[in-house]
Amino acid sequence: MFHSLSRRDLLKAVAAGALVSAIPTAVSAGPLRRVRYEKEEDGVISGHMTGAAALVETLLKEGVECVYGIPGAQDNELWDTMKTKGLPYLLVTHEFSAACMADGYARSTGKPGVLCVVPGPGVTNSLSGLGEALLDSSPVVAIVCDVARGEKYKPFQVHELPQVGLLQQVTKGVFPVKCVGDIPNAVREALALAVSGEPGPTAVVVPYPLFIETFKFHCPPLALTGVPLSEDAFARAVDLLCDRKRRVGIYAGLGCMDYSAPLAEVAELLQAPVATSVSGKGSLPECHPLSVGWGYGPQGTKTAEQVFGDVDLVLAVGVRYSEVSTGFYSDPQTPCLIQVDANPENLGKVMKTSVCVHADAGVFLSRLLEQADCLRRPKDCKLPARIAGLRRDEYKKCQESYAKCGIDPMLVVLALRHCTKPDALFFVDVTLAEHYAAEALTAVQARTYFNPTNNQAMGWSIPAAIGAQRVFPCRQTVTLTGDGCFLMTAMEISTAAREGLPVKFFVLDDQAYHYMQKLQQSAYARTTATLLAHLDYAALAKGFGVGYNEITSEDDLEAGIRAALCQEGPVLTRIAADYGKRPVRWIDAVRKRYMRELNAEQKARIVARVGARSIHLKKEND
Ligand SMILES: Cc1ncc(C[n+]2csc(CCOP(=O)(O)OP(=O)(O)O)c2C)c(N)n1
Ligand SMILES: [Mg+2]
């Protein structure tokens, strides 16, 4: 079941078959979010120009709306050309942020996000953000300037790191450019690969002397192919789904994000409850009567766990069963599982699967709808009522406060939802509260809930939110971060201030890595390296030039949030957080599953250690 191929290998294997071809194939299907030109010649890069000009023209013709990054000596030519040609850009404070911003743009729009960085530190700084995009299947394209190579190579150049080799580790594919004439196609292939099949990051690496070389270009747009649907497997899936003796549950992932309507129709036809992965939250609006929220094991919502207890066939669409979403692989194995994914390398990797269908989620769902007569089941009036009842009970439990001095982060999650518009964009960071948010922050619209799920790169939410706000200036955009995450990327708030991007930054201030404390306490009966500095957030906000707001009591929570949301421009809000002793379903599920995998000796060691330490009178925390 578990295989040792790296994620990059998996994505690369698929990319080889599913990408760019000169001739469009009739059987191909699936979304190709490429710019549609009215006339084919509108997409041609044509004329005598520099490499920098050709690169910028290509980005413009491919519909790129913003380039995030920092210029350097090697690519000033490129930045100057962006300005001349009117390609919007956003200067950031750190290349990790540039990658996260491109990712935030990509997740909120569904289109590839673009960053531009210098070689050496620009590349290495961007790696964590690209890694997040790789593990979270987000289409990001890095335009990377390289030192001089080939004939122009000189020894001991500044920033002379192996850019291509570094980028290969965290992308689906790297396109190194050797001649100036190849620039447009390299950029187009990188953009196409980023969105083809299972999306992911790519990079184009251009040695800087090529930016000032001139060439007579004539480069038409690439023809793209989609993901083919495996007909045999589809027919077997339909057979299983038509069998009314099996009660179906749908597990929807990120692959369904642009198919809310067909997903809802299929669920209604099958009278099936719908659970999602963390990244799939909102693919079926969580206010839909058949939505049971996140997960369907002990880690996710209680509603999903209970309702899926009665399911004997799971239809998993555009989802991988990754570690975080499943709470360390805690989703129960159902007797029958159909898994559908655009990446065949994802199929049957974690769960025992009855039928694996290699297909784009949207194509699969619309093909299912063609079989409506056979799939349609009698209306089950009890199911929506049962879901509604369970969700109500769960909501009530979430409303109870566990805080002793300060605010329970679960209440923050509920209040944020309550005070924001349905299309508000939420960027939730790697705080323990991310598990509360996955459970209780209902995503009522697709592409509104974002979390760095599988690389868990702390600090991601602040730049990712700024990246999205740049292209959605009028939508409420909110971050929920812990104070530890805040410390990693807070400097980027200066970018929001400089550009007047009105992101509302909410920080859960508990002066600790509470997430680590929660994990450490049960296994070690003490905490180590988890206490953070006491910060003067008001002074920080003043320094950044953004609004400031502080919420210290649960009674003031909603009023405080509304006050921040009403204020124009970016606002930093400190929330005095106290997690108290609220159980975290995700943590409990992971712990239980993890313990099950330990041998007797390993278990005994933990028990003995915790036992011995708990009788110490002196606490040895941090
Ligand atoms: C870059 C990075 N470093 C370390 C970790 C491990 N880690 C995960 S959560 C966490 C603490 C988060 O603390 P904070 O932001 O204060 O959130 P809290 O749980 O206290 O709400 C750490 C250190 C990580 N995921 N990413
Ligand atoms: Mg904290």
Side-chain angles (χ1 to χ4, degrees):
M1 286 213 274
F2 300 108
H3 291 259
S4 59
L5 273 179
S6 75
R7 173 121 193 86
R8 187 180 170 269
D9 292 336
L10 299 179
L11 286 163
K12 210 174 131 199
V14 181
L19 173 61
V20 185
S21 97
I23 317 150
T25 53
V27 291
S28 69
L32 293 171
R33 292 180 206 92
R34 205 199 68 184
V35 179
R36 302 262 169 244
Y37 304 107
E38 271 185 27
K39 287 180 274 140
E40 201 55 18
E41 57 265 34
D42 291 349
V44 179
I45 308 295
S46 170
H48 193 252
M49 63 184 108
T50 63
L55 199 153
V56 173
E57 283 267 306
T58 313
L59 294 177
L60 282 167
K61 288 215 189 284
E62 291 291 318
V64 170
E65 294 173 296
C66 184
V67 174
Y68 304 93
I70 301 182
Q74 293 82 356
D75 65 358
N76 279 329
E77 178 77 20
L78 189 59
W79 285 80
D80 188 72
T81 311
M82 285 195 241
K83 186 176 201 165
T84 305
K85 289 188 173 286
L87 174 59
Y89 50 80
L90 182 66
L91 171 64
V92 308
T93 65
H94 191 289
E95 289 84 354
F96 170 58
S97 296
C100 299
M101 287 191 194
D103 187 359
Y105 168 93
R107 293 187 201 213
S108 54
T109 62
K111 296 188 280 189
V114 176
L115 65 146
C116 181
V117 298
V118 295
V123 169
T124 50
N125 280 351
S126 72
L127 294 180
S128 302
L130 291 173
E132 190 65 64
L134 181 73
L135 298 195
D136 285 359
S137 317
S138 180
V140 165
V141 177
I143 305 291
V144 177
C145 168
D146 199 0
V147 301
R149 304 280 178 192
E151 280 174 12
K152 299 262 187 229
Y153 179 80
K154 291 188 181 62
F156 314 124
Q157 294 176 75
V158 62
H159 302 332
E160 192 187 338
L161 288 182
Q163 338 293 348
V164 172
L166 288 165
L167 289 159
Q168 275 173 337
Q169 305 308 313
V170 290
T171 58
K172 263 176 103 172
V174 180
F175 297 84
V177 178
K178 291 215 170 66
C179 325
V180 63
D182 294 343
I183 287 177
N185 273 1
V187 172
R188 281 182 154 146
E189 290 192 28
L191 286 161
L193 179 59
V195 294
S196 76
E198 181 184 356
T202 61
V204 183
V205 179
V206 188
Y208 74 84
L210 299 186
F211 289 138
I212 54 167
E213 253 185 57
T214 53
F215 187 76
K216 197 159 185 299
F217 291 90
H218 183 81
C219 302
L222 301 171
L224 307 179
T225 61
V227 178
L229 177 122
S230 52
E231 295 291 346
D232 284 358
F234 178 73
R236 276 184 285 132
V238 170
D239 277 352
L240 287 173
L241 292 167
C242 287
D243 175 0
R244 290 193 184 176
K245 287 199 290 296
R246 298 176 199 273
R247 281 159 306 176
V248 181
I250 298 176
Y251 184 42
L254 181 63
C256 295
M257 198 48 85
D258 293 318
Y259 310 111
S260 300
L263 179 61
E265 271 189 75
V266 168
E268 286 155 21
L269 270 181
L270 292 166
Q271 291 293 294
V274 180
T276 71
S277 62
V278 175
S279 318
K281 265 174 80 70
S283 55
L284 181 73
E286 290 182 302
C287 49
H288 188 283
L290 291 173
S291 167
V292 292
W294 158 52
Y296 60 88
Q299 83 287 6
T301 66
K302 215 169 174 179
T303 306
E305 188 186 17
Q306 294 196 354
V307 172
F308 269 62
D310 295 339
V311 158
D312 26 43
L313 164 57
V314 170
L315 171 62
V317 188
V319 70
R320 295 183 319 222
Y321 289 97
S322 65
E323 177 180 350
V324 174
S325 257
T326 60
F328 197 51
Y329 313 102
S330 299
D331 278 337
Q333 176 74 53
T334 38
C336 191
L337 172 67
I338 301 168
Q339 192 181 1
V340 183
D341 201 86
N343 184 351
E345 301 295 334
N346 290 339
L347 296 169
K349 274 281 178 314
V350 175
M351 304 296 257
K352 274 196 231 111
T353 309
S354 319
V355 182
C356 294
V357 188
H358 176 208
D360 172 78
V363 173
F364 176 84
L365 292 168
S366 57
R367 287 286 303 273
L368 273 190
L369 290 175
E370 290 170 15
Q371 310 288 324
D373 290 343
C374 130
L375 294 174
R376 186 170 292 109
R377 298 182 180 212
K379 205 161 175 65
D380 175 357
C381 298
K382 286 196 194 128
L383 182 61
R386 180 171 179 226
I387 293 173
L390 287 167
R391 296 210 92 169
R392 236 185 343 264
D393 294 349
E394 212 172 340
Y395 189 76
K396 260 196 214 135
K397 282 244 155 63
C398 291
Q399 284 176 308
E400 288 164 19
S401 176
Y402 283 69
K404 289 230 163 64
C405 55
I407 302 170
D408 184 328
M410 178 60 102
L411 298 197
V412 177
V413 164
L414 298 183
L416 279 174
R417 175 71 285 172
H418 199 222
C419 298
T420 47
K421 296 181 181 156
D423 72 343
L425 302 168
F426 285 100
F427 290 83
V428 179
D429 221 308
V430 191
T431 147
L432 185 67
E434 70 179 341
H435 302 301
Y436 297 162
E439 262 182 61
L441 207 162
T442 45
V444 292
Q445 202 173 302
R447 296 197 183 280
T448 55
Y449 181 90
F450 313 101
N451 171 246
T453 309
N454 295 295
N455 200 29
Q456 292 271 295
M458 283 171 70
W460 178 91
S461 70
I462 290 175
I466 296 172
Q469 185 86 83
R470 178 72 169 71
V471 288
F472 290 113
C474 298
R475 276 171 83 174
Q476 282 180 334
T477 302
V478 164
T479 71
L480 180 62
T481 82
D483 48 347
C485 295
F486 174 83
L487 281 167
M488 292 212 177
T489 48
M491 283 299 164
E492 212 54 63
I493 292 176
S494 66
T495 302
R498 189 192 69 224
E499 299 290 322
L501 295 170
V503 180
K504 310 305 179 213
F505 304 97
F506 292 92
V507 185
L508 298 169
D509 177 21
D510 65 343
Q511 288 158 44
Y513 285 157
H514 187 72
Y515 198 146
M516 289 308 109
Q517 293 181 333
K518 191 88 184 158
L519 293 175
Q520 291 175 1
Q521 261 147 0
S522 59
Y524 305 96
R526 66 183 184 195
T527 63
T528 303
T530 63
L531 291 185
L532 299 174
H534 168 82
L535 297 182
D536 183 341
Y537 287 88
L540 278 170
K542 189 158 177 249
F544 287 134
V546 299
Y548 183 66
N549 197 18
E550 191 161 83
I551 311 175
T552 52
S553 119
E554 286 176 353
D555 295 337
D556 302 333
L557 184 54
E558 291 216 355
I561 290 173
R562 285 185 205 282
L565 292 172
C566 287
Q567 231 170 305
E568 269 180 29
V571 178
L572 174 64
T573 302
R574 169 187 174 256
I575 298 180
D578 174 14
Y579 278 91
K581 291 204 165 13
R582 178 185 288 281
V584 186
R585 280 174 62 81
W586 186 90
I587 295 267
D588 293 344
V590 168
R591 186 176 298 129
K592 208 164 148 201
R593 178 76 177 81
Y594 178 76
M595 289 299 279
R596 244 175 51 203
E597 290 202 355
L598 301 183
N599 64 30
E601 187 198 333
Q602 290 165 332
K603 276 185 201 155
R605 242 181 70 222
I606 293 183
V607 173
R609 182 171 61 206
V610 170
R613 286 181 184 169
S614 51
I615 54 171
H616 280 180
L617 289 177
K618 199 172 119 235
K619 275 264 175 254
E620 289 184 311
N621 289 340
D622 273 78

